[in-house]
Amino acid sequence: MSQAPLVGIVVVSHSAPLARAAVALAEEMLHGTSVRIEVAAGLDEHTLGTDAMKILAALTAADVGAGVVVLMDLGSAVLSTELALDLLDDDARDRVLLCPAPVVEGLVVAAVAAAGGAPRHEVCAEAVAALAGKQAHLGSAGPGDVPGAGAPPRSDGGTCESPDPDGGGVPRGVDEPVPARVGRFTVVNPHGLHARPAARLVQEVRSLDAAVTVRNVTTGSVAVPASSLSRVATLGALLGHEVEVATTGNQAREALDHVLALAGRAFDEETTPPPTTGGAGVAHAATSPVPSRDGGRPASPGIGVGPVWSARSAEPIDVPDATTDDPAADWRRVREAIADVRRAVQHSRARTARDVGEADATIFDAHVMLLDDTDLLDDVRTRIDAGQAGAPAWAATIGRVEADFAGLDDPYLQARAADVRAVGDQVLRVLLRIPAVTAKGVGVLVAADLTPADVADLDADRVVAVVLAQGSPTSHSAILARAKGIPVVVGAGAGVLAIPAGTVVAVDGTTGEIVVDPAPDVRAAFRYRAGVLAEARATALSHAADAATTTDGTGVLIAANLGSVDDAALAQVSGADLAGLVRTEFLFLGRGQAPDVDEQEKTYLALAEALGGARLTLRTLDVGGDKPLDYVPMSAEANPFLGVRGLRLSLARPGLLADQLLAIVRTARATPVSVMFPMVSTVAELVEARALLDEAVARDGRGIPAGLQVGIMVEVPATALKAARFAPLVDFFSIGTNDLTQYTMAAERGNDAVAAVGDPYDPGVLRLIQAVCDASGDALVAVCGELAADDLATPLLLGLGVRELSMSATAIPQVKEVVRSTDLAVARRLAALAVGAEGPDDVRGMLATSARQQGSP
Ligand code: PEP
Ligand code: MG
């Protein structure tokens, strides 16, 4: 006899492991009855988030004829599910019920009800009542108060309502008003609460079960929902502004704590100003705007000469002013277009993370946030319901949000209007079936403006330069182009759009100069400048694998700083002698639990293999304070840079360090390894860390691995001054000039306002480097901060006694060239003068003069 189909269940969660564990728990209760439970959770196994397309697939798989009940966890889980629902056909949608029950308790009860053959309304109502037992036991609400017990759901294809908007479960009466929790923070981000930090805020808020509003106290703005990117970013909250946060709901307290802690961490924004050298083969070129000679503003350094081709991407899109008599169908088309664009943006993000780096890839997170912005979507929906067709409704809403940004006083925030336009146009192109831009030309790309996605698509081998009629040097497109090493001039005016395709144009992305159809002598001058740069780069690259030895025969190790296995592969082709700094944090951050010993060992071995078996300097976990780990409870600190970070945190949580050291010891059995402790301030800390290393060796049980070396980072001035006491305990010192400078000059490394003070060329910092070299005894002295990548500083560091320089891979060939042209006797004289100089500018002046005299490459 065939059995009637059972109701299926879909679990939508931010976390894949969480959802799977909940399902396993529920299945325990089924005693073999097979209920279809599908999971749509996480963006991938480790990345928290929800994805409408996954939910759509789960809904389809779970519906075996009797419909589906969906249980969702926090914030965007509901939004994504609603989006997925919109993408289902009408029949299937009518069989889906969104259930407001708590996921764990609800799932257990729903699974049992479904297994018993209950129809979906009943399954949902049962799930909603799942907290009854707990509430009765804790005395917070009598069973009679339990929301949803037996209450009929609103309708199919809709939600099964809970009378308690908070979902119950908190120890207070259902009718008691929810008190708002209020706190304030001061914006510390140099560019204010612009798209990226705002996106981070929205992301945090959406992951919690609380309603959060924010208000700019300084400007006296109204409170806006913190879950809406477009509303938050238009608060106009600039550096130094005071912002009030008000939270209500089940997790009101956590929400307030999280938001204030996040604000204290500058919304996890990397605020360090870009280095003045290094990058994709760009030598000594300023990335900040300098006066232009021909109307354009320099946005990415370098020189390009070639024929013009144009991209249509920024041509205004002609949106027909149409109306609709089927608002539901138009709304569906808009949601489908958004889903399409979301996938494309996520693709651009992944490619950028791979080609350029994770930090630049986060540009696209703000775009995804905009696509999920409830405020923005509500506005579009209202327009469509009022009779406007999808495309004009979307265009009107985007126009409003863009104008909000453009109307702000701060130029940086104004420039974010371009992000809104970019993502808005992407959706419009899908809606109106306008083909996407093909960025496949060769030569100088001229466009009105480019979206970050367009730039992510550009091939740096084909595009010799980019000229934009509009745009700003601080746009995300410009940031990406810089990271890809493509010269860019922005704000060149609409006139450039009239340059006929194929016309030769000479572009200098360092000065902003553009010469259309240059005369033969001008063309020759540009080509000469480009040639000099390219030749220097090519020469350096052709010798990259050779050793770096000074003219008097002193060998210097040129090493790479690594933050991923991909970095290691690039370092190998760039000629790295070893990895002088592996920032092992990359393995620990952005996940729910620490990697275990096996996973760590596997990753370290993969790094070694990608690096051709060269020595790995594995820095133990350097987090805490400004870089918190979700799975390590830490108190919020007023001054995280002066707080529990680096080795201090590791010693406070020795379990994590013990496991990491075991993984390092095991790795050292197979490949040369150095272990390096970060943020050491006292000899006692080092002694304690070394004792843990001894324990790891004992745990491994095979004696001390041959070739295992031990060193410390010198980032704290006191450590530099005590180098003689550390020297007998270490094989090497590695000076982290980024932190050493911030602590020496009392100038936070991410704070633009004190960037000029926090200068590693300051003689005070140089004296500390000298102190380490002078007291190092038999230990090698390395530098692994950004100063190591600056070839102007190379002779100075060698003259002070540094014998290893560790940097990002792209800087290696050029620094090796400079080492090869350095005479140590001259370098020592330079160093002696530099430490006695008055200020950093004098030091730079001396070095530049000496480089000219020596004919440095
Ligand atoms: C430094 O402080 O110079 C350093 C290399 O460490 P990090 O930049 O990772 O703090
Ligand atoms: Mg450091």
Side-chain angles (χ1 to χ4, degrees):
M1 196 176 75
S2 75
Q3 220 187 338
L6 300 179
V7 168
I9 299 174
V10 169
V11 180
V12 179
S13 167
H14 281 67
S15 157
L18 174 71
R20 279 200 307 272
V23 172
L25 184 66
E27 282 174 346
E28 281 283 295
M29 316 293 164
L30 296 183
H31 306 295
T33 315
S34 162
V35 174
R36 190 93 187 208
I37 307 179
E38 294 289 330
V39 162
L43 295 181
D44 57 42
E45 185 59 23
H46 301 297
T47 316
L48 300 184
T50 55
D51 176 348
M53 300 316 289
K54 272 191 181 174
I55 302 169
L56 183 63
L59 290 174
T60 311
D63 189 354
V64 289
V68 182
V69 170
V70 187
L71 293 157
M72 300 142 286
D73 68 6
L74 315 168
S76 70
V78 180
L79 293 175
S80 301
T81 308
E82 284 173 344
L83 172 56
L85 212 57
D86 278 339
L87 301 178
L88 278 177
D89 66 44
D90 292 346
D91 283 352
R93 189 176 333 111
D94 286 346
R95 288 199 302 275
V96 177
L97 205 50
L98 306 192
C99 179
V103 169
V104 176
E105 290 90 341
L107 178 60
V108 170
V109 175
V112 173
R120 53 188 178 275
H121 296 98
E122 223 170 274
V123 171
C124 179
E126 284 285 305
V128 170
L131 289 173
K134 205 193 293 179
Q135 285 173 324
H137 179 80
L138 296 175
S140 58
D145 299 329
V146 171
R154 193 168 47 195
S155 68
D156 274 347
T159 53
C160 168
E161 279 182 339
S162 159
D164 175 3
D166 289 335
V170 285
R172 61 182 163 77
V174 171
D175 296 332
E176 201 176 297
V178 184
R181 290 176 184 270
V182 180
R184 287 185 178 193
F185 65 85
T186 302
V187 178
V188 296
N189 299 64
H191 296 295
L193 221 49
H194 66 87
R196 272 200 271 191
R200 186 65 191 85
L201 170 65
V202 171
Q203 192 186 37
E204 189 80 14
V205 165
R206 286 192 190 172
S207 71
L208 291 159
D209 186 12
V212 182
T213 60
V214 280
R215 175 172 90 78
N216 188 338
V217 180
T218 307
T219 61
S221 81
V222 293
V224 300
S227 56
S228 164
L229 182 67
S230 58
R231 303 288 298 276
V232 172
T234 53
L235 274 182
L238 303 179
L239 176 68
H241 281 192
E242 201 178 1
V243 173
E244 185 177 270
V245 188
T247 63
T248 56
N250 279 343
Q251 289 188 296
R253 190 167 49 81
E254 289 91 330
L256 186 61
D257 289 350
H258 280 220
V259 171
L260 295 183
L262 190 62
R265 302 197 308 267
F267 295 89
D268 296 338
E269 189 176 32
E270 179 55 77
T271 49
T272 315
T276 52
T277 61
V282 178
H284 292 293
T287 51
S288 57
V290 297
S292 119
R293 280 197 248 158
D294 253 5
R297 283 191 289 160
S300 174
I303 286 166
V305 180
V308 159
W309 61 283
S310 65
R312 289 186 310 272
S313 72
E315 284 170 11
I317 297 175
D318 198 10
V319 186
D321 191 13
T323 56
T324 179
D325 44 19
D326 186 354
D330 272 61
W331 175 236
R332 173 112 33 99
R333 273 193 289 276
V334 170
R335 304 294 293 251
E336 281 167 1
I338 289 172
D340 258 26
V341 171
R342 186 188 292 100
R343 273 196 301 280
V345 172
Q346 271 155 354
H347 185 64
S348 298
R349 191 197 190 288
R351 198 179 35 232
T352 304
R354 188 196 63 209
D355 295 349
V356 182
E358 177 60 26
D360 289 299
T362 59
I363 287 167
F364 293 103
D365 293 342
H367 288 199
V368 174
M369 287 282 175
L370 272 167
L371 292 171
D372 284 343
D373 192 316
T374 39
D375 189 65
L376 189 150
L377 295 179
D378 284 350
D379 195 52
V380 179
R381 181 83 200 245
T382 308
R383 289 172 199 270
I384 293 176
D385 286 346
Q388 214 170 6
W394 174 261
T397 300
I398 286 295
R400 172 187 65 79
V401 177
E402 188 188 0
D404 285 349
F405 276 95
L408 296 168
D409 289 338
D410 179 65
Y412 188 86
L413 283 172
Q414 281 171 4
R416 301 280 73 77
D419 289 326
V420 177
R421 167 60 50 205
V423 77
D425 280 0
Q426 258 177 294
V427 173
L428 270 183
R429 274 189 228 128
V430 177
L431 278 171
L432 298 171
R433 300 203 166 81
I434 299 172
V437 183
T438 49
K440 300 283 179 254
V442 177
V444 176
L445 167 60
V446 176
D449 204 351
L450 290 177
T451 66
D454 296 335
V455 178
D457 262 351
L458 296 181
D459 178 349
D461 290 334
R462 299 162 66 88
V463 181
V464 298
V466 171
V467 174
L468 300 181
Q470 305 152 15
S472 109
T474 54
S475 72
H476 288 141
S477 306
I479 292 168
L480 277 184
R482 276 201 290 276
K484 291 187 118 180
I486 302 174
V488 179
V489 173
V490 299
V496 293
L497 300 174
I499 303 172
T503 310
V504 172
V505 169
V507 181
D508 188 334
T510 311
T511 62
E513 191 178 3
I514 306 162
V515 184
V516 180
D517 196 11
D521 58 328
V522 177
R523 209 185 278 209
F526 267 78
R527 284 205 200 282
Y528 178 75
R529 273 143 72 183
V532 168
L533 271 180
E535 209 176 296
R537 225 177 285 151
T539 311
L541 205 56
S542 69
H543 299 152
D546 302 346
T549 308
T550 59
T551 54
D552 47 295
T554 304
V556 178
L557 291 168
I558 304 299
N561 293 350
L562 309 181
S564 70
V565 177
D566 286 349
D567 282 357
L570 181 63
Q572 219 249 333
V573 294
S574 305
D577 297 322
L578 73 156
L581 163 62
V582 178
R583 290 184 163 105
T584 61
E585 303 74 84
F586 80 89
L587 249 169
F588 290 79
L589 292 167
R591 52 193 289 167
Q593 65 191 61
D596 63 18
V597 175
D598 288 345
E599 183 185 343
Q600 290 187 54
E601 183 187 354
K602 226 166 111 196
T603 308
Y604 301 150
L605 287 172
L607 286 170
E609 195 188 332
L611 204 58
R615 175 171 286 274
L616 292 182
T617 307
L618 295 169
R619 177 172 77 180
T620 60
L621 194 56
D622 184 18
V623 295
D626 60 322
K627 281 185 271 178
L629 288 179
D630 290 347
Y631 43 89
V632 176
M634 298 174 205
S635 341
E637 296 178 309
N639 293 300
F641 279 119
L642 301 178
V644 186
R645 57 173 300 212
L647 186 59
R648 298 172 188 180
L649 180 76
S650 294
L651 293 177
R653 308 271 309 178
L656 269 184
L657 181 59
D659 277 358
Q660 187 173 29
L661 290 173
L662 179 58
I664 291 174
V665 167
R666 284 192 195 165
T667 308
R669 303 250 165 244
T671 191
V673 163
S674 300
V675 57
M676 175 157 81
F677 298 111
M679 279 292 296
V680 178
S681 326
T682 67
V683 175
E685 286 170 347
L686 175 60
V687 170
E688 207 180 327
R690 287 211 65 137
L692 284 169
L693 179 61
D694 291 342
E695 277 172 30
V697 170
R699 243 172 109 190
D700 183 51
R702 291 176 281 175
I704 300 173
L708 179 67
Q709 299 198 344
V710 180
I712 58 167
M713 289 201 67
V714 181
E715 293 155 295
V716 178
T719 303
L721 296 171
K722 293 182 290 189
R725 304 311 295 257
F726 285 99
L729 299 171
V730 296
D731 298 302
F732 65 93
F733 293 96
S734 187
I735 303 175
T737 46
N738 308 337
D739 276 318
L740 184 63
T741 304
Q742 87 163 337
Y743 294 128
T744 305
M745 303 307 297
E748 190 192 320
R749 59 194 271 191
N751 184 344
D752 274 357
V754 292
V757 185
D759 189 330
Y761 283 92
D762 189 280
V765 179
L766 302 180
R767 280 174 186 250
L768 290 170
I769 298 175
Q770 184 185 40
V772 177
C773 293
D774 288 353
S776 58
D778 292 336
L780 173 94
V781 180
V783 169
C784 63
E786 284 303 312
L787 190 61
D790 185 346
D791 62 8
L792 185 67
T794 307
L796 168 62
L797 294 173
L798 300 188
L800 287 169
V802 173
R803 290 295 175 266
E804 179 187 309
L805 297 166
S806 193
M807 62 205 73
S808 63
T810 48
I812 288 175
Q814 173 64 6
V815 171
K816 278 192 163 182
E817 284 289 282
V818 175
V819 172
R820 292 184 193 114
S821 68
T822 299
D823 175 335
L824 262 192
V826 175
R828 285 197 187 99
R829 282 201 295 278
L830 254 181
L833 282 174
V835 293
E838 187 183 315
D841 292 343
D842 304 311
V843 176
R844 281 200 180 81
M846 280 172 203
L847 293 171
T849 310
S850 169
R852 272 196 303 276
Q853 284 166 356
Q854 305 288 309
S856 190

